[in-house]
Amino acid sequence: MTTLWTSEEIVVATGGTASGNFTVTGVAFDSREVEDGFLFVAMPGTVHDGHDFVAGAFDKGAAAALVSQPVDGPHVLVDDVPAALEALARAARERLSDDAVVFGVTGSVGKTSTKEALAEALERLAPGRVHRSVKSYNNHTGVPLSLARMPRDTLYAVQEMGMNHAGEIAALTRMVRPHVALVTAIAPAHIENLGSIEAIADAKGEIFEGLEPGGVALVPEATDQRDRLIKAARGKAARILTIGGEEGDAAVLHSAPSAAGGSLVTARLPGRRLTFTVSQRGAHWVQNALTVLSAIGEVGGDVARAALALTEMGGLKGRGERHVVTVEGGELLLIDESYNANPASMEATLKALAEERATRKIAVLGTMKELGAVSAKAHADLAAPVQAAGVSLVIAVGEETAPLADALSLTPVEVVHVKDAEAATTNLLTMMRAGDAILVKASNSMGLGKLVAKVAGGGA
């Protein structure tokens, strides 16, 4: 395995004291993710202290630990472990070559999907030299961890950044220092904490504060917050592009369903016109593709070659992964969107469900969290896109989905309102049948990923 960090480099970056000489090949702060040769970062916590898991990390093959108290085994001792991890992250960013390009991604909807698509497309240009944040490691601990894991020979880095409150992305983007910063979309996610859609746009627009000199900002065209985002980018970006809509710098000229089930798109991109295929269904994925290809074009990448990755990209777990499940009498399609949900992403995935060829369409829709005072209306308003998608049956999961159940009770759509994922699973297993297309979508805390695992594992 290639050396990621030496003990001397960790000491220089963090100001700590090493117990001896060693090298590490990876970094983790979750002991369950430790592999042979890793540096285990003993993060403090409100429930568990990482120092309690150091011995277990060594048992799993950790080469060393980053700690704030002496431990048995190779380690670097520091005063403050989270601060040391951030210092290691900044050192990782600093040691990248002048040729390296860093992309920063945020948005209310689609940031993880766009991050993954961008990384896959960049792999076509520089195989093995693309680093991306994993899972949804996009917060004040996840971003430093992702950066600390970045190999020194990385040519393209793609870092997702998220937030719950104002000021969080500003701190993260100054650590990431992107050359290209993009906002996928603005929607009322986290509105409970931020208070208004304008405040959400301002918080997402913080990503431009970390742009490197000569950097590029990408903002969505078809949003009421377009001008607000452009204003946030002015003075920080050397070039600002708008993506989507009819007037965007990147726009769809023609889009039609492809034979494989995605979209065949002809688009006007900055400086070029291109026809390409997106394997994933839905207009939101076409928007993602415009963003990805525009970003690559802005750094001089081969856009046509990068677009080939969009043709072959599979669904992401919890974000569009598709399962064909064998049941009595045939098969059904299960679409896993269980990781995240807000009004915009709900509407987008329901529109994608409308494109599915199925005998019957079922939507298992769980609570959209952090909507505050608008929660009841936001859930009730899903009734219209549910009907537009041709859904026959809705299983509404969670107390907050009662307004949706009430609204659907006045329509021909059959609705079952249940309290939790376990009850939803029980109902779905008894009601599903061959020929169904089933969408599962909710905020991650609703636990509908367990429902997906149960059904995808073969039903009963």
Side-chain angles (χ1 to χ4, degrees):
M1 294 289 290
T2 303
T3 296
L4 181 65
W5 295 101
T6 67
S7 54
E8 182 179 359
E9 288 171 331
I10 297 171
V11 165
V12 170
T14 65
T17 302
S19 62
N21 293 325
F22 57 81
T23 62
V24 300
T25 57
V27 183
F29 55 44
D30 185 335
S31 60
R32 295 167 296 184
E33 296 182 357
V34 168
E35 299 177 16
D36 285 344
F38 270 37
L39 174 71
F40 175 64
V41 181
M43 295 285 280
T46 55
V47 178
H48 300 291
D49 187 332
H51 293 84
D52 297 335
F53 299 92
V54 171
F58 280 129
D59 288 342
K60 291 192 68 176
L66 184 65
V67 295
S68 60
Q69 54 188 261
V71 297
D72 293 331
H75 64 271
V76 171
L77 184 65
V78 296
D79 293 333
D80 184 319
V81 173
L85 179 59
E86 291 183 7
L88 198 61
R90 286 190 289 270
R93 174 64 181 86
E94 184 65 31
R95 73 181 181 180
L96 289 180
S97 71
D98 292 340
D99 294 332
V101 179
V102 179
F103 298 82
V105 183
T106 193
S108 302
V109 184
K111 55 183 176 290
T112 300
S113 299
T114 300
K115 177 257 296 183
E116 290 293 326
L118 180 54
E120 289 294 321
L122 290 166
E123 278 286 349
R124 295 299 179 110
L125 310 184
R129 297 188 66 190
V130 178
H131 177 74
R132 74 187 83 180
S133 51
V134 298
K135 300 181 181 178
S136 284
Y137 281 176
N138 61 20
N139 64 6
H140 66 286
T141 56
V143 169
L145 177 66
S146 295
L147 289 173
R149 289 173 163 177
M150 185 163 58
R152 66 189 77 232
D153 66 345
T154 295
L155 185 58
Y156 295 114
V158 187
Q159 179 63 60
E160 178 182 338
M161 287 172 262
M163 61 86 196
N164 290 313
H165 297 85
E168 291 181 72
I169 289 178
L172 298 177
T173 190
R174 291 190 177 102
M175 193 182 304
V176 173
R177 293 165 44 209
H179 299 93
V180 180
L182 58 96
V183 178
T184 58
I186 300 297
H190 310 302
I191 198 167
E192 181 177 24
N193 298 329
L194 289 156
S196 69
I197 197 74
E198 292 79 13
I200 292 170
D202 291 342
K204 296 297 184 183
E206 291 172 10
I207 194 171
F208 305 127
E209 295 179 19
L211 273 170
E212 289 286 273
V216 181
L218 277 66
V219 305
E221 168 72 26
T223 173
D224 291 340
Q225 305 307 313
R226 168 191 178 275
D227 292 345
R228 201 174 191 92
L229 291 170
I230 289 174
K231 182 179 179 181
R234 283 197 183 116
K236 302 174 183 71
R239 181 168 161 83
I240 303 172
L241 301 179
T242 59
I243 310 299
E246 295 182 359
E247 303 297 327
D249 295 305
V252 173
L253 300 177
H254 179 72
S255 179
S258 69
S263 299
L264 178 63
V265 182
T266 298
R268 169 174 50 77
L269 300 171
R272 57 180 62 82
R273 178 172 170 155
L274 185 69
T275 297
F276 57 93
T277 300
V278 182
S279 63
Q280 301 300 302
R281 288 165 168 78
H284 59 300
W285 263 103
V286 174
Q287 174 76 9
N288 292 347
L290 288 179
T291 303
V292 165
L293 297 178
S294 297
I296 291 174
E298 286 302 299
V299 299
D302 186 336
V303 173
R305 186 176 172 189
L308 296 175
L310 302 176
T311 303
E312 300 174 1
M313 187 173 177
L316 307 175
K317 184 177 181 179
R319 294 181 171 89
E321 188 175 25
R322 299 161 69 86
H323 303 272
V324 176
V325 181
T326 301
V327 294
E328 184 179 354
E331 296 176 333
L332 60 79
L333 173 65
L334 180 68
I335 305 168
D336 179 12
E337 286 276 0
S338 61
Y339 191 82
N340 198 11
N342 58 52
S345 65
M346 278 283 197
E347 185 172 356
T349 49
L350 284 165
K351 285 182 179 178
L353 179 63
E355 299 175 9
E356 299 292 344
R357 294 181 179 179
T359 304
R360 182 178 61 156
K361 294 170 186 174
I362 299 173
V364 182
L365 305 179
T367 298
M368 301 179 288
K369 296 292 187 179
E370 298 186 30
L371 294 179
V374 304
S375 178
K377 183 178 186 301
H379 284 92
D381 286 349
L382 293 178
V386 162
Q387 293 178 80
V391 173
S392 301
L393 167 65
V394 168
I395 300 177
V397 189
E399 181 180 348
E400 295 97 325
T401 63
L404 170 61
D406 290 343
L408 288 174
S409 68
L410 304 175
T411 75
V413 179
E414 181 182 0
V415 59
V416 177
H417 187 210
V418 298
K419 65 177 182 178
D420 55 26
E422 183 178 356
T425 304
T426 300
N427 277 270
L428 181 60
L429 289 173
T430 60
M431 302 176 83
M432 67 188 195
R433 58 178 183 249
D436 288 342
I438 304 170
L439 169 67
V440 181
K441 189 163 182 65
S443 291
N444 187 46
S445 61
M446 294 302 296
L448 292 188
K450 295 178 181 179
L451 177 151
V452 171
K454 180 76 172 179
V455 176

